[in-house]
Amino acid sequence: MDASQIANIVGTGAALCSMTSFAPQILKIWRERDASSVSLRMYIVTVTGFALWIAYGVLIKSWPVTGANTVCLVMSATILALKWRFSRRGAAAREV
């Protein structure tokens, strides 16, 4: 196996880990209908970072960088949207 194949295997493993890392958090938030423990600032920075990685991937014409980070952006943005959705629901319940 040459260095390029090893690099591709490592890159694929890293992309898969990154892409699947958000799934447990999304499922937990959805099941519990609670995102109060999620840091809003951290996910804003995370979403911004993935958007920048996508721009970088496009600029260097690397579809693996662009594709993996697009999936990560969608998943981290989902967590951000759920944070917003369930925070509003909790605020409305406290007002009643």
Side-chain angles (χ1 to χ4, degrees):
M1 204 177 315
D2 68 358
S4 136
Q5 289 174 316
I6 292 170
N8 284 334
I9 290 169
V10 170
T12 299
L16 291 172
C17 287
S18 294
M19 290 185 291
T20 59
S21 69
F22 294 100
Q25 186 71 61
I26 292 169
L27 292 172
K28 182 179 186 299
I29 293 169
W30 188 257
R31 283 185 193 134
E32 296 177 4
R33 303 284 195 254
D34 177 30
S36 61
S37 63
V38 171
S39 169
L40 181 61
R41 286 184 203 161
M42 191 279 264
Y43 272 93
I44 289 171
V45 171
T46 300
V47 165
T48 302
F50 286 130
L52 292 171
W53 272 114
I54 292 166
Y56 174 73
V58 169
L59 290 170
I60 66 168
K61 296 178 173 77
S62 173
W63 70 264
V65 171
T66 304
N69 284 290
T70 298
V71 171
C72 289
L73 174 65
V74 168
M75 294 184 81
S76 61
T78 298
I79 291 171
L80 197 56
L82 290 172
K83 169 78 174 169
W84 179 72
R85 177 181 179 184
F86 294 129
S87 295
R88 292 186 66 224
R89 183 178 292 171
R94 286 190 297 271
E95 290 176 4
V96 175

